Amino acid sequence: MKLILQFQTWKNKTTNNIHKYTLIYINFFLSILMIIIQWNINGYINNYDNLEILIKKYKPDIVVLQETHVPMNIKRKHPNQYHIYFHNTQNQSKQGLAFMIKKNIHHSLLDQNLPVNYQIQSFKVQMAQELLIQNIY
């Protein structure tokens, strides 16, 4: 199994904002097993349209987001082909994690027992091999 990381920059033509994200390709022998996008989104609700553009372009299996800035009591939209898991602190809307995974991928959320000042999401994903994916802030 081989990981290929590509650090990308994308400029939104409407807002002129520059976004940086990481594409992660997991190769198994000569074929791509999985595509993962990692992005410090700096506001899920404000950048949702940009997220949809990235998803349409790369068709990732998994999207890992940091700094979602979404309070726990706010309803959030997400692309229908994904399960989405948000992890936010009780009091803070300026932090937060999100993990999006295609609905056809077998996965399980793992419990985390870490100090309160850390945010972490851990998932086991079953593909050709079992993978552990963590989102830490």
Side-chain angles (χ1 to χ4, degrees):
M1 193 176 302
K2 180 170 119 180
L3 290 176
I4 300 170
L5 299 175
Q6 292 182 355
F7 301 99
Q8 303 280 331
T9 302
W10 168 58
K11 185 174 183 179
N12 184 312
K13 294 177 184 174
T14 306
T15 63
N16 287 326
N17 290 337
I18 295 176
H19 303 280
K20 295 178 182 179
Y21 57 94
T22 306
L23 279 172
I24 303 165
Y25 296 95
I26 300 175
N27 290 354
F28 192 68
F29 294 106
L30 298 176
S31 63
I32 293 176
L33 178 64
M34 183 180 291
I35 298 172
I36 301 172
I37 292 179
Q38 177 278 323
W39 184 19
N40 182 324
I41 196 166
N42 195 18
Y44 180 84
I45 294 168
N46 293 339
N47 285 305
Y48 182 79
D49 293 339
N50 298 325
L51 178 62
E52 282 188 319
I53 291 168
L54 285 176
I55 288 171
K56 285 179 186 173
K57 181 175 182 177
Y58 295 107
K59 298 173 181 51
D61 299 292
I62 296 173
V63 179
V64 183
L65 304 170
Q66 299 82 37
E67 292 194 27
T68 55
H69 300 187
V70 179
M72 292 178 70
N73 58 348
I74 300 291
K75 185 163 174 67
R76 312 145 195 114
K77 60 183 176 178
H78 66 278
N80 288 335
Q81 69 269 34
Y82 291 90
H83 292 291
I84 188 162
Y85 303 90
F86 283 93
H87 177 77
N88 298 348
T89 59
Q90 290 278 0
N91 308 354
Q92 294 286 335
S93 64
K94 291 291 183 186
Q95 298 175 354
L97 304 172
F99 187 93
M100 298 169 58
I101 186 164
K102 282 189 176 174
K103 290 182 177 179
N104 65 338
I105 296 175
H106 180 70
H107 65 281
S108 58
L109 174 65
L110 303 175
D111 287 333
Q112 299 299 317
N113 294 319
L114 292 177
V116 175
N117 55 341
Y118 289 99
Q119 291 184 20
I120 185 168
Q121 290 177 301
S122 295
F123 287 83
K124 280 187 185 175
V125 177
Q126 189 64 48
M127 298 296 278
Q129 293 183 331
E130 187 175 83
L131 301 173
L132 174 66
I133 300 175
Q134 292 187 311
N135 189 7
I136 303 171
Y137 183 78

